[in-house]
Amino acid sequence: MSNTDKKSKTKERLYTVFFMFIVTFISISALSAIYLTTKETIEKNKQILMHRAILYAANIEAPQSKEEMEKIFGERIKEVKDSGGSPYYQVLDTDGSLKGYVFLTVGKGLWGKIESVVGVDKDLKTITGVDFTKQDETPGLGARIEENWFKEQFRGKSGSFSMVPEKEKTDANQFQAITGATITSTGVKEMLNKILEDIPTRIKQ
Amino acid sequence: MAKPNAGKIFVENLGKNNPVFVQILGICSTLAVTNVFKNTLIMCLGLIFTTAMSNLAIAMMRKHIPSRIRMMVEVLVIAVFVIIIDIALKAYAPEISKQLGPYVGLIITNCIVMGRTEAFALNNPPGLSFVDGLSSGMGYSYVLLSIAFVRELLGSGSILGHHVMPEWWTNWAIMVMAPGGFFMLAVFIWIVYGVFLKENKEKKEAAK
């Protein structure tokens, strides 16, 4: 009697393991299939976002359509590597002459990294544009760094930056911080000051 | 439980059995995502899809799941559907996916999804479970959307990102932060209990 009891218990346990295995197997297969079929689209989307950000930082107007945007990107932006091997971008004028540079950089936000794209003029000081490609800041507060008024205010300014409260007048080295998002704003400020300091050394090689 | 009926379940999950203001489930996301209306909307659609589909899947397997590992299976099934949403957003709506960031993944931990599979789908046929999941998700959604509407209006002075408040309006920063969510949820529950559910209570007492 106790022997058959034991046997059915073992059977039950085996069934449990087997069941979990099967469910997991099916789930993972389904997800892998979906992942593989969409992988290319996702990579492409990421690339498009990045190219748009670089054009924005270079202050070159990007058309809505992907193909036209990529065409302009190909004509006006050239990827180069600095002595450390990390890439940055040369911005070319319509006649092919060098107009400025675009750098990728990372700042510290409240919740995580703020990945950004910073464009400078040929003088290596004047900012042509700033865009943010990845940030996990609080929606409605820190995440407002993606709003146009915030990004646009950097064009034509040069460091080293300090902050003034939202909606106040700014000098050539000041920008309006976001109310309620001091840590995020400070992170952006420090990131910009750092990259502006680094740019000359990275280009000289 | 009385004999379940699809229409009744549907209405009850929206009203007197509402997951947010009656069962007080899913509060974490209520606080976190309701400061911008658009994010809330996407979150809600994601949640409706997840509750409905995971309820359906669990109900179909319910007779075969060993009770000892039922929770593992539930979480696994829920996670699969959430990852599908995440991948779909990344592939076909990259802008929205970028804005939502980690929130989509948070649907996995939303207590409503697990609560419904555990309390309902394990004991009911697939069709009914699907209706239950769908309506639970919708009950959650309209509460969140109304909270988000007020929070974005007062906190950012806008509706769906369009500025609507006059120049002299000062944004209430607290509405955008987590405490604003607490206040709004409490006010919402207060109003609902004071105005709607009160009548039910009185009726019940009169019937006694």
Side-chain angles (χ1 to χ4, degrees):
Chain A
M1 190 64 192
S2 71
N3 214 358
T4 48
D5 253 12
K6 233 185 195 170
K7 244 186 194 167
S8 72
K9 229 177 189 174
T10 323
K11 220 177 173 186
E12 196 194 304
R13 281 188 186 150
L14 273 178
Y15 173 72
T16 307
V17 173
F18 177 74
F19 185 85
M20 197 66 210
F21 179 80
I22 291 293
V23 173
T24 314
F25 184 80
I26 294 172
S27 313
I28 291 176
S29 316
L31 278 186
S32 309
I34 294 174
Y35 171 76
L36 287 176
T37 48
T38 54
K39 196 174 151 199
E40 260 179 44
T41 328
I42 291 176
E43 283 300 314
K44 226 180 189 175
N45 285 338
K46 267 191 194 158
Q47 202 190 3
I48 287 169
L49 278 183
M50 182 51 101
H51 287 180
R52 274 194 193 284
I54 290 171
L55 285 177
Y56 182 86
N59 203 3
I60 297 172
E61 210 176 311
Q64 268 302 314
S65 107
K66 284 178 211 166
E67 291 77 22
E68 282 174 52
M69 190 276 294
E70 289 291 349
K71 191 171 158 256
I72 292 187
F73 186 87
E75 284 166 3
R76 304 285 299 274
I77 308 285
K78 200 177 134 204
E79 190 180 323
V80 271
K81 294 226 155 71
D82 67 3
S83 48
S86 15
Y88 67 95
Y89 302 88
Q90 289 181 338
V91 182
L92 306 177
D93 216 337
T94 33
D95 59 9
S97 63
L98 186 67
K99 200 179 161 206
Y101 301 92
V102 173
F103 287 86
L104 309 182
T105 181
V106 176
K108 256 189 247 163
L110 175 60
W111 303 114
K113 287 182 198 167
I114 303 177
E115 291 177 15
S116 328
V117 181
V118 180
V120 287
D121 220 334
K122 235 177 358 188
D123 67 1
L124 306 185
K125 288 196 185 96
T126 316
I127 288 185
T128 53
V130 175
D131 203 356
F132 305 98
T133 46
K134 187 172 181 292
Q135 52 91 7
D136 306 315
E137 302 309 292
T138 324
L141 292 174
R144 287 176 62 211
I145 55 174
E146 294 212 11
E147 286 177 12
N148 262 331
W149 69 270
F150 187 80
K151 296 192 292 192
E152 286 291 332
Q153 61 175 334
F154 293 102
R155 294 203 205 271
K157 288 184 182 170
S158 51
S160 96
F161 282 106
S162 56
M163 305 188 290
V164 298
E166 217 174 305
K167 287 180 185 156
E168 274 188 25
K169 272 192 175 165
T170 55
D171 283 338
N173 63 342
Q174 289 178 325
F175 70 92
Q176 294 178 5
I178 292 167
T179 308
T182 311
I183 296 179
T184 310
S185 306
T186 311
V188 171
K189 181 189 83 178
E190 276 164 11
M191 175 190 75
L192 287 177
N193 289 341
K194 173 98 189 356
I195 187 80
L196 285 174
E197 221 172 79
D198 288 352
I199 283 175
T201 61
R202 283 184 63 182
I203 290 200
K204 259 184 220 157
Q205 304 192 10
Chain B
M1 204 189 285
K3 212 180 174 194
N5 151 304
K8 203 172 153 219
I9 289 169
F10 194 87
V11 175
E12 283 193 350
N13 278 337
L14 294 182
K16 71 175 191 196
N17 201 16
N18 187 286
V20 183
F21 59 76
V22 178
Q23 302 176 25
I24 317 286
L25 284 176
I27 298 302
C28 8
S29 53
T30 310
L31 301 178
V33 300
T34 54
N35 50 7
V36 179
F37 191 83
K38 197 171 144 204
N39 293 0
T40 316
L41 188 66
I42 303 292
M43 179 83 174
C44 288
L45 291 178
L47 188 107
I48 293 174
F49 174 80
T50 316
T51 37
M53 293 309 287
S54 54
N55 254 13
L56 179 70
I58 294 291
M60 287 197 293
M61 294 193 283
R62 73 186 190 283
K63 287 186 180 138
H64 309 285
I65 302 175
S67 70
R68 198 182 300 185
I69 56 161
R70 66 179 197 284
M71 288 200 172
M72 282 163 74
V73 178
E74 285 160 20
V75 174
L76 185 77
V77 168
I78 293 166
V80 167
F81 286 115
V82 173
I83 295 171
I84 290 177
I85 296 177
D86 196 32
I87 293 179
L89 281 180
K90 270 188 190 143
Y92 304 109
E95 288 289 334
I96 290 173
S97 158
K98 190 178 155 212
Q99 271 187 12
L100 279 181
Y103 285 137
V104 175
L106 283 180
I107 296 175
I108 297 176
T109 57
N110 193 312
C111 338
I112 294 173
V113 193
M114 182 102 181
R116 289 328 288 173
T117 50
E118 178 75 10
F120 197 92
L122 280 177
N123 309 310
N124 289 286
L128 272 185
S129 299
F130 183 79
V131 171
D132 177 76
L134 194 72
S135 53
S136 288
M138 285 163 63
Y140 165 88
S141 299
Y142 82 81
V143 175
L144 254 71
L145 288 173
S146 21
I147 293 178
F149 183 81
V150 178
R151 280 182 79 185
E152 189 180 325
L153 188 65
L154 299 182
S156 310
S158 56
I159 294 174
L160 269 165
H162 298 292
H163 217 275
V164 288
M165 284 299 198
E167 266 305 301
W168 49 263
W169 174 259
T170 307
N171 292 340
W172 301 12
I174 192 158
M175 271 302 162
V176 188
M177 292 186 275
F182 275 112
F183 289 136
M184 278 315 301
L185 180 64
V187 169
F188 195 98
I189 293 177
W190 181 37
I191 292 174
V192 166
Y193 272 77
V195 180
F196 301 105
L197 294 182
K198 202 169 139 202
E199 287 170 20
N200 280 344
K201 211 172 157 193
E202 278 165 359
K203 258 186 221 158
K204 255 186 212 162
E205 267 161 20
K208 270 178 199 169

